[in-house]
Amino acid sequence: MKTASSISIKTPQEIAILHEGGQILAAITEELARSLKEGMTTREIDRQAEKLIRDQAVLPAFQGYRGFPGCVCTSVNEEVVHGIPGDRRLKDGDIVSLDVGIIYKNYYVDTAVTVGIGKIGSLLKKLLEVTERSLYLGIAQARPGNHLSDISHAVQVFVEANGFSVVRDFVGHGIGRNLHEDPEIPNFGPAHEGPILKEGMVLAIEPMVNMGGWQTKVLADGWTVVTQDGKASAHFEHTIALTAEGTKIFTQTHG
Ligand code: MG
């Protein structure tokens, strides 16, 4: 666990830029989610995302990041995160996670949402609701004076109380001048540990929740993370900041 001193504190000017960027990203992601339909390939989602991003005159943060070949990550059903857009076609009853990041005025913002295609089963619906709700419960713990792991613990407790599991191998992160900054933000662990949260911290909180076991593996493409048991997984993420006016959710529409 990192010490608080390694977590960068953003200035009010930086916070303002990140807020603007977050609002642009929220609009892009909402429109992208609305455009999804049965029969679409994940490559087509990627093309649509790139168009929406370029139309806003911002840059896709993931394209070429450590060699990632897509503009966004598209993770279907048993795919947890980092799905490479390709030939997989969305079917009625699928869920697809969209992870979208942009660079705005040299600052990074990051968000993710999981969307049902057509009519999804009741357990999948519950998975989406629990994952999104766990994100907001984590965000509710992100306030000055709390410990970093209060976020982690709130997510885990709620997810497990609902019979699902939280992914251990991938975590949230600080964000700002870089896509991934300190601290790492696990979605599990005991409360009241790690650095004390302070005003000016900007965090990407991102629970990844599995319907079955928490174990994951990476496919031979070197990117796509899937559940070991092949059961579905959902992912929601917001970039948030601890500000003088309270905690702001930058990547929420009208946040
Ligand atoms: Mg992220």
Side-chain angles (χ1 to χ4, degrees):
M1 192 65 78
K2 304 284 182 181
T3 59
S5 58
S6 65
I7 305 172
S8 83
I9 300 297
K10 272 68 178 181
T11 65
Q13 290 77 11
E14 290 178 301
I15 295 278
I17 292 171
L18 286 156
H19 193 181
E20 285 173 16
Q23 290 298 286
I24 293 168
L25 179 57
I28 289 168
T29 307
E30 192 174 274
E31 192 166 343
L32 184 63
R34 259 203 312 268
S35 75
L36 299 185
K37 40 184 185 292
E38 191 184 343
M40 207 171 176
T41 65
T42 52
R43 185 177 286 108
E44 287 167 341
I45 299 173
D46 195 62
R47 287 205 195 101
Q48 173 70 2
E50 180 153 22
K51 180 185 180 304
L52 292 169
I53 290 169
R54 304 279 179 197
D55 282 353
Q56 294 295 324
V58 294
L59 295 171
F62 302 162
Q63 201 165 45
Y65 181 83
R66 294 182 181 165
F68 187 75
C71 188
V72 295
C73 301
T74 55
S75 306
V76 181
N77 296 345
E78 79 289 350
E79 296 171 351
V80 178
V81 285
H82 305 162
I84 298 176
D87 296 328
R88 189 161 180 171
R89 224 171 257 288
L90 301 180
K91 301 188 306 290
D92 183 57
D94 281 349
I95 58 169
V96 56
S97 300
L98 306 171
D99 195 348
V100 192
I102 59 168
I103 307 168
Y104 172 72
K105 296 186 176 175
N106 295 320
Y107 284 82
Y108 288 80
V109 282
D110 190 3
T111 194
V113 62
T114 304
V115 182
I117 303 301
K119 190 168 168 47
I120 64 170
S122 58
L123 198 55
L124 282 177
K125 193 158 174 276
K126 183 183 171 191
L127 179 70
L128 267 50
E129 286 167 0
V130 166
T131 308
E132 185 170 24
R133 182 88 188 106
S134 77
L135 168 60
Y136 284 96
L137 290 170
I139 291 170
Q141 294 299 319
R143 49 177 194 260
N146 269 10
H147 286 266
L148 181 72
S149 81
D150 292 334
I151 299 170
S152 316
H153 188 67
V155 171
Q156 182 180 21
V157 165
F158 182 72
V159 166
E160 292 182 353
N162 280 282
F164 300 136
S165 67
V166 291
V167 168
R168 306 291 199 270
D169 303 331
F170 300 89
V171 296
H173 49 96
I175 187 166
R177 264 156 278 165
N178 301 290
L179 178 58
H180 296 118
E181 299 184 355
D182 287 338
E184 291 193 341
I185 310 172
N187 297 297
F188 58 94
H192 315 312
E193 288 190 355
I196 301 283
L197 300 175
K198 293 195 176 86
E199 203 177 294
M201 289 181 177
V202 178
L203 308 172
I205 301 175
E206 48 178 323
M208 291 148 261
V209 175
N210 293 350
M211 196 177 269
W214 59 263
Q215 292 85 353
T216 64
K217 61 183 179 185
V218 181
L219 295 185
D221 64 21
W223 281 103
T224 311
V225 178
V226 298
T227 56
Q228 271 189 24
D229 59 17
K231 293 185 179 175
S233 184
H235 181 207
F236 283 83
E237 175 178 24
H238 277 310
T239 297
I240 65 135
L242 282 66
T243 78
E245 294 83 45
T247 298
K248 300 278 184 199
I249 307 177
F250 289 162
T251 48
Q252 178 173 265
T253 317
H254 312 301

